[in-house]
């Protein structure tokens, strides 16, 4: 009988220890960020492959995860999210890209993204949209994404988008029904960068023009140089080189040290 009591006591102590460990792992102060990537992989008119520009995903991804932030990756279709093959070329392989290319676990996460329709804004502290030409084709028109951004923004949570990803703001409205970007400082891939990159045929519209047409106070830095701006909880970056700066502004907004 004593042996049974002792075994039960040890089992109870083990369960208590496990519960305390679980509580530490899922501590309520741990921040959670939703990263939304495109599901669009080919521009039919040109036949060119596209998707997420890897630098704009990998840099924020590691910036967040290295800080202990929990990251969920979602896309409109769920499952495998296309990466622009050009963005893995040696000339575009930044340190974060090289790290991702040697990181099977991170690669696996882009192979199995969560369907966007299954996520809820209340489960996350911020949302981050990487660019690439893909978002201009699907996320710009995706009703689920539009509603998600509106919910994050209305709740006062950071909404961050970099390079071409501000295209996802195209149909987003504020509480009054006006374009969310109206009167706000917003950055995004410039017309001159699109022309210099000879990629105007890869997009359904010019991002800079769209933002201005929707009333944004469009701001920019020098072409190809890091530039990001925060206007309230709306954070936007200009180009691939701005991914780090944009991610850092999200971390600052969350108060993560």
């Amino acid at each position: 009988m004593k042996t049974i009591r002792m075994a039960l006591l040890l089992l109870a102590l083990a369960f208590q220890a496990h519960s305390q460990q679980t509580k530490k792992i899922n501590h309520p102060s741990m921040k959670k960020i939703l990263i939304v990537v495109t599901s669009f992989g080919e521009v039919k008119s040109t036949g060119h492959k596209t998707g997420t520009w890897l630098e704009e995903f990998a840099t924020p991804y590691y910036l967040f995860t290295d800080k202990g932030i929990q990251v969920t990756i979602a896309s409109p279709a769920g499952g495998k999210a296309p990466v622009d093959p050009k963005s893995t070329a040696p000339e575009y392989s930044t340190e974060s890209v090289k790290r991702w290319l040697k990181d099977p676990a991170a690669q696996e996460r882009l192979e199995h993204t969560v369907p966007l329709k299954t996520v809820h804004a209340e489960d996350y502290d911020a949302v981050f949209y990487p660019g690439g030409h893909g978002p201009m084709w699907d996320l710009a028109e995706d009703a689920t994404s539009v509603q998600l951004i509106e919910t994050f923004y209305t709740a006062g949570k950071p909404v961050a988008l970099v390079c071409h990803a501000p295209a996802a703001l195209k149909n987003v409205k504020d509480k009054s029904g006006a374009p969310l970007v109206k009167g706000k400082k917003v950055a995004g891939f410039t017309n001159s960068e699109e022309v210099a990159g000879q990629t105007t045929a890869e997009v359904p519209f010019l991002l800079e023009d769209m933002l201005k047409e929707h009333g944004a106070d469009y701001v920019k830095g020098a072409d190809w140089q890091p530039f990001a701006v925060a206007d309230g909880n709306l954070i936007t970056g200009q180009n691939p080189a701005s991914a780090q700066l944009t991610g850092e502004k999200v971390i600052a907004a969350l108060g993560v040290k």
Side-chain angles (χ1 to χ4, degrees):
M1 184 65 71
K2 287 183 179 180
T3 303
I4 294 174
R5 287 200 192 101
M6 183 61 70
L8 290 173
L9 178 60
L10 291 173
L11 183 62
L13 290 172
F15 179 79
Q16 183 179 18
H18 174 73
S19 298
Q20 290 175 346
Q21 184 179 19
T22 302
K23 287 179 181 178
K24 287 180 181 179
I25 292 172
N26 297 307
H27 197 281
S29 65
M30 183 178 288
K31 299 298 184 181
K32 299 178 181 179
I33 294 179
L34 177 67
I35 297 181
V36 180
V37 295
T38 181
S39 293
F40 189 88
E42 182 180 351
V43 180
K44 302 302 181 183
S45 59
T46 64
H48 292 167
K49 300 295 183 182
T50 187
T52 297
W53 192 264
L54 190 52
E55 160 70 3
E56 297 163 27
F57 167 82
T59 293
Y61 174 80
Y62 288 119
L63 188 62
F64 299 152
T65 56
D66 287 350
K67 289 284 187 179
I69 297 171
Q70 289 187 9
V71 170
T72 297
I73 306 167
S75 66
K80 184 175 182 178
V83 171
D84 190 319
K86 187 177 178 181
S87 68
T88 65
E91 60 266 35
Y92 300 114
S93 292
T94 61
E95 289 307 308
S96 61
V97 169
K98 293 175 183 176
R99 180 177 174 183
W100 186 86
L101 291 171
K102 297 177 181 178
D103 186 348
Q107 294 172 32
E108 186 73 8
R109 299 195 68 185
L110 272 184
E111 291 280 335
H112 300 91
T113 65
V114 175
L116 194 57
K117 63 183 179 182
T118 67
V119 303
H120 304 282
E122 58 266 27
D123 295 334
Y124 303 95
D125 300 291
V127 64
F128 189 97
Y129 282 67
H133 287 130
M136 299 203 57
W137 295 92
D138 61 354
L139 292 171
E141 307 295 339
D142 189 278
T144 302
S145 174
V146 168
Q147 184 177 23
L148 193 73
I149 293 173
E150 290 176 348
T151 303
F152 268 96
Y153 187 83
T154 301
K157 297 178 179 180
V159 174
L161 314 94
V162 66
C163 198
H164 287 89
L169 298 171
K170 181 182 178 185
N171 293 302
V172 178
K173 310 292 185 185
D174 63 17
K175 288 181 179 179
S176 71
L180 180 64
V181 300
K182 186 176 181 180
K184 295 182 178 66
K185 292 187 181 300
V186 182
F189 206 63
T190 67
N191 287 353
S192 52
E193 286 169 321
E194 204 77 77
V195 171
Q198 299 181 339
T199 51
T200 55
E202 304 297 315
V203 293
F205 55 87
L206 292 176
L207 180 59
E208 178 180 338
D209 289 351
M210 183 277 287
L211 292 171
K212 289 177 177 177
E213 289 166 3
H214 283 64
D217 178 8
Y218 181 79
V219 290
K220 62 181 180 180
D223 284 0
W224 314 114
Q225 298 303 307
F227 181 83
V229 62
D231 193 327
N233 58 313
L234 181 62
I235 301 168
T236 47
Q238 180 173 317
N239 48 34
S242 306
Q244 175 84 16
L245 187 55
T246 308
E248 288 173 350
K249 288 184 178 294
V250 174
I251 289 176
L254 292 176
V256 176
K257 302 300 182 183

